Amino acid sequence: MTAPLQFGLDTFGDVTKDASGAMLPHAQVIRNVVEEAVLADELGLDFIGLGEHHRADFAISSPETVLAAIASRTGRIHLGSAVTVLSSDDPIRVFQRFATLDAVSNGRAEVILGRGSFTESFPLFGFDLRKYEELFEEKLDLFAALLSQQPVTWQGKLRPPLKDQLVYPPVENGRLKTWIGVGGSPQSVVRAAHYDLPLMLAIIGGDPARFAPYVDLYHRAFKEFGRPAQPIGVHSPGYVAETDAQAREELWPDYKAMRDRIGKERGWPPMGRDEFVSEAEHGSLYVGSPETVARKIAKTAKALGISRFQLKYSAGPLPHEKLMRSIELYGRKVMPMVREMTG
């Protein structure tokens, strides 16, 4: 008997509008995120993930601090990052912060490690972007060594070596649940299997089924390593309203604003309505009524054999009140529908 599909939410703390259309201050956005997580806990959702960014359009630069505040207001939901940009951080400090979060939350902390799709943290913290790959590989190797919670002897090229070094505080029970966030690199998939870590697929465009070869690769890698495969999750954007038409009309202007702002930085053309509709109908945008979103999640779950689905529920300046309503529908209607569809 397989475990039921887990349901999570992710947010980057997108800076949102108030009722008059004015942009909220970052501080209020952070307080709103705490309220959104409290609602998710009340609805019985399994996980809330906060992304790390260092730019004006996202309010959360220190996810663990916000997660600790959420821990004090919740009792069940697991708390993690989405993602922690390990390349521009210190693996020991990351472990310590999440071990501390695990303590204050009574064992509910998780960390999703990744390289991130934004690079602002590299110059901010004094890292050479030309070492993008090397930084992540070496820091992940050290982080993986910390998970055993035994004295660490380790040597790399980018920092001084460690000899029989213990790191505190230890995780109280078991080991810190650690995922690897992957956006579509075969090397990252094999790396996750090499370190015996669960895989979180960030699928933000196109048919989710196109990631099936990565799932196959992940399972083949575990077979070659002689170990049972770890869980696989999916992170994708979405929005739930009472009807398909309402969901699309409410999400479209704010989703486009976010997409075009980031696209301008990266050389993408402005998003047209046809592209938006195509992503909603055939791609990785889970927008619509509870029934529509549930069917789409169930289809992805069956196609990829995942054990968790995480909906990135915030989208540009889409107001807090609408996000709360979307979370409510996701928890009360979508979640039970998907579980019925997937058995």
Side-chain angles (χ1 to χ4, degrees):
M1 181 177 179
T2 59
L5 182 68
Q6 292 185 344
F7 289 83
L9 292 169
D10 292 335
T11 180
F12 300 160
D14 306 55
V15 175
T16 54
K17 299 178 290 190
D18 64 16
S20 70
M23 302 304 289
L24 291 173
H26 286 68
Q28 184 59 54
V29 172
I30 290 171
R31 290 190 288 269
N32 287 347
V33 167
V34 174
E35 295 303 321
E36 291 155 12
V38 169
L39 175 60
D41 184 60
E42 292 171 352
L43 294 168
L45 293 171
D46 299 291
F47 177 83
I48 179 78
L50 308 185
E52 172 200 346
H53 293 84
H54 306 273
R55 44 187 288 144
D57 45 353
F58 300 118
I60 299 173
S61 61
S62 178
E64 305 92 335
T65 307
V66 184
L67 290 166
I70 294 170
S72 71
R73 300 273 309 277
T74 59
R76 178 185 175 277
I77 195 167
H78 279 227
L79 314 164
S81 55
V83 300
T84 295
V85 184
L86 188 64
S87 310
S88 56
D89 211 328
D90 182 89
I92 294 175
R93 293 296 288 144
V94 171
F95 182 88
Q96 289 175 323
R97 295 196 301 264
F98 277 91
T100 301
L101 175 64
D102 196 70
V104 299
S105 66
N106 289 311
R108 292 185 282 140
E110 301 183 14
V111 59
I112 303 177
L113 303 174
R115 286 170 289 195
S117 61
F118 295 84
T119 58
E120 290 82 5
S121 61
F122 285 80
L124 183 64
F125 298 122
F127 290 97
D128 187 348
L129 191 56
R130 292 173 297 182
K131 295 183 178 180
Y132 183 81
E133 291 286 346
E134 186 179 1
L135 283 164
F136 184 74
E137 290 177 6
E138 182 166 303
K139 292 185 178 192
L140 178 59
D141 188 64
L142 174 54
F143 193 93
L146 301 173
L147 291 173
S148 67
Q149 303 194 99
Q150 300 297 317
V152 174
T153 296
W154 178 93
Q155 185 169 349
K157 298 179 180 178
L158 302 176
R159 60 166 293 156
L162 300 172
K163 183 173 176 58
D164 294 329
Q165 182 70 57
L166 281 167
V167 175
Y168 301 99
V171 173
E172 188 173 25
N173 295 301
R175 83 180 209 164
L176 178 65
K177 186 161 188 177
T178 303
W179 301 71
I180 298 295
V182 174
S185 162
Q187 294 82 0
S188 296
V189 171
V190 174
R191 186 182 295 124
H194 169 74
Y195 289 112
D196 198 21
L197 296 174
L199 185 70
M200 183 60 64
L201 297 170
I203 307 179
I204 59 174
D207 185 350
R210 68 191 174 90
F211 276 74
Y214 295 105
V215 172
D216 293 340
L217 175 62
Y218 186 64
H219 286 287
R220 290 202 312 271
F222 269 102
K223 187 174 181 179
E224 289 185 13
F225 293 136
R227 298 191 297 262
Q230 291 282 356
I232 298 173
V234 163
H235 152 109
S236 290
Y239 179 72
V240 192
E242 292 292 348
T243 68
D244 289 352
Q246 181 186 358
R248 292 184 185 187
E249 288 307 312
E250 290 182 354
L251 180 64
W252 161 243
D254 295 310
Y255 190 84
K256 174 178 170 57
M258 174 193 65
R259 168 67 164 68
D260 288 355
R261 182 178 62 247
I262 296 171
K264 186 176 181 181
E265 299 171 2
R266 301 183 180 186
W268 303 339
M271 186 178 212
R273 184 62 185 248
D274 289 348
E275 181 184 353
F276 174 79
V277 170
S278 178
E279 277 295 329
E281 293 181 350
H282 310 294
S284 297
L285 184 56
Y286 294 75
V287 55
S289 68
E291 295 82 0
T292 295
V293 174
R295 284 196 300 270
K296 194 164 187 177
I297 293 173
K299 182 179 179 182
T300 297
K302 292 175 181 177
L304 300 180
I306 61 174
S307 61
R308 181 187 290 175
F309 181 86
Q310 296 178 192
L311 185 79
K312 198 274 186 179
Y313 69 91
S314 57
L318 193 66
H320 167 64
E321 292 73 20
K322 291 182 178 179
L323 297 179
M324 291 286 276
R325 189 190 64 207
S326 179
I327 292 169
E328 182 91 25
L329 290 170
Y330 181 65
R332 292 200 187 280
K333 295 189 176 182
V334 174
M335 184 167 65
M337 286 181 185
V338 177
R339 285 188 170 151
E340 184 176 350
M341 293 174 185
T342 57

